[in-house]
Amino acid sequence: MVNKVKTFFAEVKDIFKLLVSSSKINTLLLILANILSGLMLPLEMMVWKYFIDSVVGAIATKDILSPVYLLCLHYVVGGINNYIIHIEEYFEQMEVDYVNKYVTARTISKTAKLELKYFDQKENYDMIQKVNMESTQRLINILSMTMLFVRNCVTLAGIISVLFILNGWIILFCIIVSVPSAIVSFKMSRKQYEIFNSRLEDMRKIAEIKNILVNYENIKELKIYRLGKFLKEHADKLYEKFICQNKEVRRKYAVNISLSETLQVAILYLIKLYVVMQVIYKSMSIGDLTLFISAIDNFQSCISSIFRSIIKLYENGLYIKDLNYFLNLPIQDVNTGLAFNKEFERIEFKHVYFRYGDSEDYVLEDICFCIENRKSYAFVGINGAGKTTLLKLLLRLYQPTKGSITIDGIDICNYSIIDYWKNVGAVFQEFIQYPFDVKHNIGFGCVESISRIDIIKEAAKKSGAIEFILKLKQGFDTNLKKGWVNSTQLSLGQWQKIAISRAFMKDFPILILDEPTASVDAKTEYELYNRLKTLISDSTCILISHRFSTVKLVDTIFVIENHHLIEEGSHQELLEQNGVYATLYNMQAEAYGDDI
Ligand code: ADP
């Protein structure tokens, strides 16, 4: 129990750190406005009591002056309260903007820094999605609930002082009668969080289905396969499942909360009867009657509201717990380590084994090979053999499970990752189509040079992309997403050239190409690699391709089969060996003739 309380307070502290970090001054002013706003209700109640008493007195004395003064005072207090409410609203809305900005920045930055291995584990992946989907809204809910809590606590303190004059026990009664409905609501929140967690995968599926439907590139396939109806029905089924679960939980909640609230109201009316008796038998004034009755009503609504805000805080806090966990996930130290030596002699894979996450099966087993500076290499093998995984290890996106990768005898782990990445150009088959214009899509290859149009143009020249870019109406300023101002839709082959230009934004001693030209025709790919060969004669080039016309251009070919390296040599040597490479080559030669 003590530990639970400790953890709760530690979590509350973390949440407030997040809120305050969004904007210190605004948060402070917001809290202040809420404290003032909380004071106004008891003040108004007191003025109203004196007003009623003065009216009762004036019936005998016929002196209207004091009721008029008190009415004016009530008007002034009400007016000030109004101002405070608007000021408080202003700070709260501003705080929402600051929180949005701050949390979005932190989650983007953290997601970008997380190691790839975190995305491979389902629980982590779910959590990353959950945090990105929910955190900002939840934090904003926490903010408004906290402010409601502060306001109500101040009001409650005022009302308690009033009720204390009447009878201290009444305060205790009022608190106790609110407990059952608080428990019911608390259980409901817990249940809702559990349901939310169990639905994450389905919710992600619905979001992805919607994304597929609104993506321009997908429309042709969806229409031809007439998938709209199927996808709609699939989403319908998922929603029906959600509705069924919700119905049951909400029905139960509605019954329980109605019962507990009926009991609560009945007890409150007994307390009000006690006040009426005090007026009749103990000569309390009519002003006292209005004061105590409204104190009891307001006390009750304050207490309910405080309980509600605690429950909502708890409910939203459950999601923020995930955000805090996510923000505290360890990130790689990418800066410290040796500087990369561009003049390295060889990179060596020494008995490298690798498996993903918790999987028991190795994707790579006992891999040994050597890459020499300024030479070109290709990995060949059927899909799923492990070629991309090898490149991921070389790119240091993962670490070998066993064995080591060394550069001139020094383990690759000893080099600063940032420095290493700065020296590697990489183009992947699943490259990103950024929702920016041409110059950004190329410039992202080296963010430090993002405003250097001369470097961007040179990169586009090297990949051959310049030819179609110059034909675009807005040239390098053309937006590359359908439906944007000054936008166009590129073909996949053109997109691939843009992705290759990105790699040319910097001078790299190592260039890694993972089937980035799978969508261009064999002739264009061949021409591109021929051009690349002269352009990067000073670099080490490592590629994966299924096209033997390209593969045969490299110095050394590695053949991967069933997670092992089974053949190694030049095109000619491997043909002479008449092994797996020769079989694959001859199969393609038969199918495409001289075209390969
Ligand atoms: P290739 O590039 O030769 O087609 P990959 O290296 O992409 O092969 O994949 C090798 C094996 O590793 C495949 O069985 C694939 O399913 C598995 N694999 C790839 N990525 C992951 C991942 N992130 N998590 C788990 N398994 C993966």
Side-chain angles (χ1 to χ4, degrees), residues 11-22:
E11 279 161 17
V12 170
K13 203 177 114 202
D14 285 341
I15 290 170
F16 281 95
K17 253 205 233 149
L18 277 173
L19 286 177
V20 174
S21 311
S22 309

Side-chain angles (χ1 to χ4, degrees), residues 116 119-120 354-357 359 363-364 381-392 398 514-515 544 546 560 563:
L116 207 51
F119 294 83
D120 289 331
F354 181 76
R355 60 179 167 216
Y356 282 101
S359 163
V363 170
L364 295 173
I382 58 165
N383 287 335
K387 305 178 295 294
T388 301
T389 308
L390 258 170
L391 295 192
K392 286 186 202 162
Y398 292 97
D514 182 358
E515 293 189 72
I544 294 178
H546 287 292
I560 311 284
H563 321 305

Side-chain angles (χ1 to χ4, degrees), residues 424-435:
V424 181
V427 191
F428 304 100
Q429 191 177 4
E430 314 88 12
F431 54 83
I432 304 180
Q433 300 181 6
Y434 294 97

Side-chain angles (χ1 to χ4, degrees), residues 18 31 48 75 138-139 142-143 145 180 183 327 377 384 425 430 516 546 549 568 585:
L18 277 173
I31 294 173
W48 194 247
Y75 167 74
R138 296 288 168 180
L139 208 55
I142 285 186
L143 173 79
M145 283 304 128
I183 292 175
L327 291 178
Y377 298 86
E430 314 88 12
H546 287 292
S549 51
E568 173 179 349
Y585 178 82

Side-chain angles (χ1 to χ4, degrees), residues 457-468:
K457 281 186 176 161
E458 197 50 40
K461 250 186 227 163
K462 285 181 180 168
S463 71
I466 192 100
E467 288 161 26
F468 70 83

